[in-house]
Amino acid sequence: MSASPACLPTSPSGRVTPATVPISLGERSYPIRIGQGLLADPQTYAGLPRAAAALIVTNATVAPLYEAGLRQALAPHYAKVHTVVLPDGEAYKDWPTLNRIFDALLEQGCDRKTVLFALGGGVVGDMTGFAAACYMRGVPFVQVPTTLLAQVDSSVGGKTAINHPLGKNMVGAFYQPRLVVCDLDSIATLPPRELSAGLAEIIKYGPIADMAFLDWIEANVEALRAGDAQALAHAVRRSCEIKAAVVGADEREGGLRAILNFGHTFGHAIESGLGYGAWLHGEGVGCGMVMAATLSQRLGLVDAAFVARLAAIIARAGLPVAAPPLDAADNAGRWLQLMRVDKKAEGGEIRFVLIDGPGRATVRAAPDALVREVIAACSARA
Ligand code: NAD
Ligand code: GLY
């Protein structure tokens, strides 16, 4: 995949010039709009399916920051704009909280044309998308991602889900939004730890698809961590372009799309093994990428310098690179047990996304003994 120019141009107002990345999926195609000042602009939402009502789904942290702006932007388009505010946290990506969205829809008498708006990070986005897929067998929805992670990954591509105590994102559906609105201004209120978590999913696109993008990230990681609008604009746009190309080629993960899960097999084990919310999703992915790259090296697919370089970029992004202990008595055994629940596993055999040379990914199994060595080596990493 070819790289895009170093930065988006700036408009005369000093703002980043808005960009649109299309997702091409036939009749399920939609645009990803990227820019500043988009969230509270009524124009952003022109052209969506007509309906009597909209339901904003958000959480207790995001609502005070952005719900009023979105509500006033939607007012010209819908006679009624309702809001449901969910509790905040990965631990609430579950059935009882999902049910609160259905409660709100039914209590407000929402019909099958009602448009749902997911206002928040990946947790709100994944749950709102799943609710939209299920309510009256499917209503339209729009993603308004307010975290960096959601803007570069979770809001795009139509994977929706809730967690199960035995496994991450185990219950869900493929269901595409009608529009994704990435307002870069919302990143300004994001805590630094959450911003770093988003960088993990940005870094991921380099080793799997575009080493020139990894070079750019390496040179701009401090600007990204500082919230520089130009740098964020480029990172969000290039990430969405890569994701759009992969999803456009393999919407339902028949094969290629699995490469977007680089670092996730180890990362999901960390998330569920430590208890949802202890490590952020992006932190699990950051450490998981180091572990998956180390496994790639031990299989002879990349060299040690590649792994060291990737680990250094991940650490500079403010992410953990050392594997946490998941069980005092049988640590590697617990890791393997958790990873067997991964959606890529087939017949109990874990399948890893590995780097098959810089900028190229492959999905394959590895011997348990080698995986145990990798867990031990990455646990020891300072
Ligand atoms: P999140 O949704 O928990 O948001 C992180 C935190 O930031 C939350 O406390 C949230 O309330 C807060 N927040 C959101 N926007 C804010 C803002 N602008 N200012 C201040 N605080 C803000 O986490 P996330 O990292 O956005 O998403 C992680 C989730 O996404 C995981 O559940 C993961 O499984 C999922 N995910 C899904 C996909 C997919 O393809 N569907 C891809 C990657 C991740
Ligand atoms: N985040 C992985 C995917 O969308 O496939």
Side-chain angles (χ1 to χ4, degrees):
M1 284 167 192
S2 64
S4 55
C7 271
L8 291 177
T10 308
S11 72
S13 67
R15 289 188 156 192
V16 164
T17 302
T20 299
V21 176
I23 295 259
S24 301
L25 293 168
E27 62 185 11
R28 292 180 308 289
S29 299
Y30 54 94
I32 306 164
R33 301 223 168 98
I34 303 164
Q36 295 177 273
L38 297 176
L39 188 154
D41 181 354
Q43 268 303 106
T44 302
Y45 309 98
L48 285 169
R50 295 174 70 83
L55 176 74
I56 299 172
V57 183
T58 185
N59 72 23
T61 304
V62 177
L65 298 169
Y66 300 112
E67 191 267 348
L70 179 58
R71 170 178 286 275
Q72 66 86 25
L74 297 181
H77 303 293
Y78 304 97
K80 289 182 181 163
V81 179
H82 309 291
T83 298
V84 58
V85 179
L86 306 177
D88 183 5
E90 184 75 36
Y92 293 102
K93 194 175 165 183
D94 59 5
W95 278 116
T97 312
L98 179 74
N99 221 23
R100 288 177 58 170
I101 306 176
F102 299 130
D103 291 346
L105 285 161
L106 289 163
E107 281 161 14
Q108 300 299 340
C110 291
D111 62 25
R112 66 185 346 160
K113 291 197 165 171
T114 304
V115 184
L116 270 55
F117 288 80
L119 175 67
V123 170
V124 165
D126 280 12
M127 282 203 293
T128 307
F130 190 32
C134 299
Y135 186 65
M136 294 196 179
R137 302 199 180 92
V139 293
F141 87 110
V142 172
Q143 291 274 13
V144 188
T146 59
T147 64
L148 183 59
L149 184 141
Q151 293 189 359
V152 300
D153 192 357
S154 65
S155 66
V156 173
K159 279 191 179 175
T160 74
I162 56 170
N163 297 329
H164 186 279
L166 295 181
K168 175 106 175 124
N169 294 333
M170 279 296 147
V171 182
F174 285 100
Y175 194 68
Q176 300 294 344
R178 301 302 179 97
L179 168 69
V180 179
V181 179
C182 298
D183 189 333
L184 302 167
D185 290 340
S186 67
I187 305 305
T189 54
L190 206 56
R193 187 178 165 199
E194 297 290 351
L195 196 136
S196 287
L199 292 177
E201 300 281 18
I202 293 173
I203 292 167
K204 159 186 93 177
Y205 292 112
I208 64 167
D210 183 354
M211 287 302 285
F213 187 41
L214 190 69
D215 295 343
W216 180 89
I217 295 166
E218 192 171 36
N220 288 278
V221 70
E222 277 75 30
L224 290 165
R225 288 187 76 180
D228 178 271
Q230 288 291 338
L232 287 171
H234 179 64
V236 173
R237 178 175 169 173
R238 185 67 195 133
S239 299
C240 288
E241 284 171 347
I242 295 170
K243 182 151 187 184
V246 173
V247 172
D250 180 21
E251 180 184 8
R252 296 175 74 91
E253 202 164 310
L256 175 72
R257 184 167 176 168
I259 68 170
L260 297 174
N261 279 319
F262 175 51
H264 286 58
T265 306
F266 289 104
H268 284 171
I270 296 172
E271 281 190 87
S272 56
L274 295 179
Y276 297 122
W279 275 37
L280 302 179
H281 175 73
E283 292 173 337
V285 171
C287 181
M289 286 191 288
V290 177
M291 299 178 80
T294 306
L295 182 57
S296 309
Q297 181 205 342
R298 294 199 180 216
L299 286 164
L301 303 174
V302 289
D303 61 21
F306 176 85
V307 181
R309 180 185 175 208
L310 184 62
I313 296 171
I314 291 168
R316 280 176 59 213
L319 293 161
V321 291
L326 299 184
D327 189 283
D330 178 15
N331 189 41
R334 177 71 177 139
W335 274 90
L336 289 165
Q337 180 191 37
L338 288 164
M339 290 193 290
R340 285 201 176 90
V341 186
D342 189 78
K343 287 191 288 308
K344 288 182 297 303
E346 285 179 7
E349 184 179 69
I350 309 164
R351 295 169 72 248
F352 296 91
V353 181
L354 300 169
I355 301 306
D356 185 18
R360 225 176 38 235
T362 183
V363 182
R364 59 190 248 196
D368 277 4
L370 200 61
V371 178
R372 284 175 181 270
E373 278 178 34
V374 167
I375 292 163
C378 292
S379 302
R381 197 180 272 273

